[in-house]
Amino acid sequence: MAAYCRPVLRNLFDDSPTPHIAHPPRTHRRDFYLATDGSYRPDDRGGLGVVIETRDGERVARLSMPDSVPDNNVAEYRALHLGLDVLANRAPDNARVGVLIDHDDLAANVNRVMLAGQQPGARPPYPVRVPSETAYHWRGIRARVAGFDELRAARIDSGENPAHPLANTPEEYAHVNREPDRCVLPQNDERWRAPDDDRYPPPSRADRDRSSSLAGGESASD
């Protein structure tokens, strides 16, 4: 019997806020999930971590690389740039992508440009302020975001980020870089988009907040 692979990244994404974007049930589901993290240390022992999974929980790639960066902002932007480059080489252009980052401003900036890109000539709904040292990587991130059919970023806590140990102790995880390249596509499961499946949408931060406000005898209508 095949072992069931728990979709760790999908679960984390479902339970995390996406800055500037609500969680409509029909648009929340992704085909691929990407978690990245970058670490900065004054002794030049920082690193980059990347984890990619399909919606079914199949691992596509893991990377753990030492890196020397001037500050934490550059580390975070560089890690996402790397992760999106890897994903772009493993996923079709029409993929819907969920990104998990523990850097608030970066997650917000990604969603801003994604929203603006949905309408030609539109400007981001909120100003995008990017640290000057990250300009090169930000251009690469924007190009990759535009290359996917749909992408949104969720903000997670550092302690929950699966890419965090890969970035912070690359000397301990060098073996993951020797894992064979994989081009894994999500399983063609008709239940994923079946109409009845929408009766049980993934957890939405907006829905949970709304439910709590209706406590005290009042219930939400269908």
Side-chain angles (χ1 to χ4, degrees):
M1 180 182 294
Y4 175 71
C5 186
R6 183 172 179 265
V8 176
L9 298 189
R10 193 181 87 191
N11 290 346
L12 285 172
F13 188 87
D14 286 348
D15 288 333
S16 301
T18 49
H20 306 306
I21 302 178
H23 275 186
R26 291 180 178 82
T27 62
H28 183 65
R29 306 182 184 102
R30 311 283 94 186
D31 300 309
F32 292 88
Y33 295 88
L34 164 67
T36 68
D37 193 23
S39 68
Y40 161 72
R41 297 180 185 175
D43 57 5
D44 291 334
R45 295 180 57 196
L48 308 176
V50 174
V51 181
I52 304 173
E53 292 180 355
T54 69
R55 69 183 179 219
D56 312 303
E58 291 287 334
R59 183 185 299 156
V60 177
R62 287 194 302 174
L63 292 174
S64 179
M65 304 173 59
D67 196 32
S68 176
V69 293
D71 58 43
N72 186 66
N73 285 327
V74 175
E76 295 285 358
Y77 278 72
R78 185 175 292 182
L80 179 56
H81 190 183
L82 172 65
L84 289 172
D85 281 350
V86 173
L87 180 58
N89 289 325
R90 312 278 180 94
D93 292 341
N94 64 348
R96 296 189 298 178
V97 179
V99 174
L100 298 109
I101 317 169
D102 56 32
H103 189 287
D104 291 13
D105 291 342
L106 177 53
N109 283 342
V110 168
N111 288 340
R112 286 167 180 146
V113 299
M114 190 281 297
L115 288 171
Q118 292 179 336
Q119 298 180 352
R123 293 183 177 182
Y126 303 93
V128 175
R129 296 183 176 87
V130 177
S132 58
E133 298 85 355
T134 68
Y136 167 77
H137 297 292
W138 178 239
R139 287 195 298 271
I141 290 169
R142 292 194 64 171
R144 289 306 190 190
V145 169
F148 289 110
D149 191 53
E150 186 179 340
L151 182 148
R152 65 178 58 176
R155 197 271 303 158
I156 60 176
D157 293 334
S158 179
E160 297 181 333
N161 189 347
H164 183 76
L166 303 180
N168 280 266
T169 53
E171 64 279 0
E172 297 181 14
Y173 289 93
H175 62 277
V176 306
N177 302 311
R178 297 189 292 271
E179 294 175 348
D181 291 345
R182 307 181 70 193
C183 295
V184 182
L185 297 179
Q187 296 178 9
N188 185 20
D189 189 346
E190 293 300 327
R191 293 172 301 173
W192 184 256
R193 301 181 190 279
D196 288 344
D197 193 41
D198 285 334
R199 294 180 303 169
Y200 307 99
S204 167
R205 181 60 57 93
D207 289 344
R208 287 200 299 274
D209 291 344
R210 180 168 173 265
S211 296
S212 62
S213 68
L214 294 172
E218 187 179 357
S219 60
S221 59
D222 293 333

